[in-house]
Amino acid sequence: MFATAKCGHCGKMGTKIQTIEPSGARYKQNAVCCFHCNAILGVTDYFNVGTLLKSAEKERKAMQDKIDHLQMQVQQIASALRR
């Protein structure tokens, strides 16, 4: 069962998500705000961190595969030069 958040500022119920750019911050954030008075009730990441990590893992794996392939080619060239 879900609980309904009550705003600590105005006492009314209801929330919305709003993107904010805090001054001095390098990244945007999503703020959970009161629907009535816009008081910030909580803050969450702007991006889905899990999705970003999965994407970075795939990119790292692709780069590692390319490096491994290049190392194999260099070894083949070195072997051919030694003959």
Side-chain angles (χ1 to χ4, degrees):
M1 185 170 201
F2 289 102
T4 305
K6 186 175 183 182
C7 178
H9 186 258
C10 71
K12 295 182 180 177
M13 292 185 203
T15 58
K16 62 182 178 179
I17 296 288
Q18 187 173 340
T19 301
I20 59 173
E21 295 182 52
S23 60
R26 295 177 59 194
Y27 303 102
K28 294 180 183 179
Q29 294 181 312
N30 285 327
V32 179
C33 299
C34 174
F35 184 78
H36 302 281
C37 70
N38 288 325
I40 295 177
L41 306 175
V43 179
T44 183
D45 294 326
Y46 180 68
F47 294 106
N48 182 338
V49 176
T51 301
L52 291 175
L53 284 173
K54 284 287 186 189
S55 177
E57 286 174 1
K58 285 180 184 178
E59 289 175 14
R60 190 189 70 74
K61 173 75 170 108
M63 288 173 61
Q64 187 62 51
D65 290 345
K66 287 179 183 179
I67 290 169
D68 292 344
H69 183 71
L70 286 171
Q71 285 176 334
M72 184 179 68
Q73 288 178 329
V74 168
Q75 288 173 355
Q76 289 173 347
I77 292 171
S79 176
L81 290 173
R82 280 184 247 145
R83 291 183 201 162

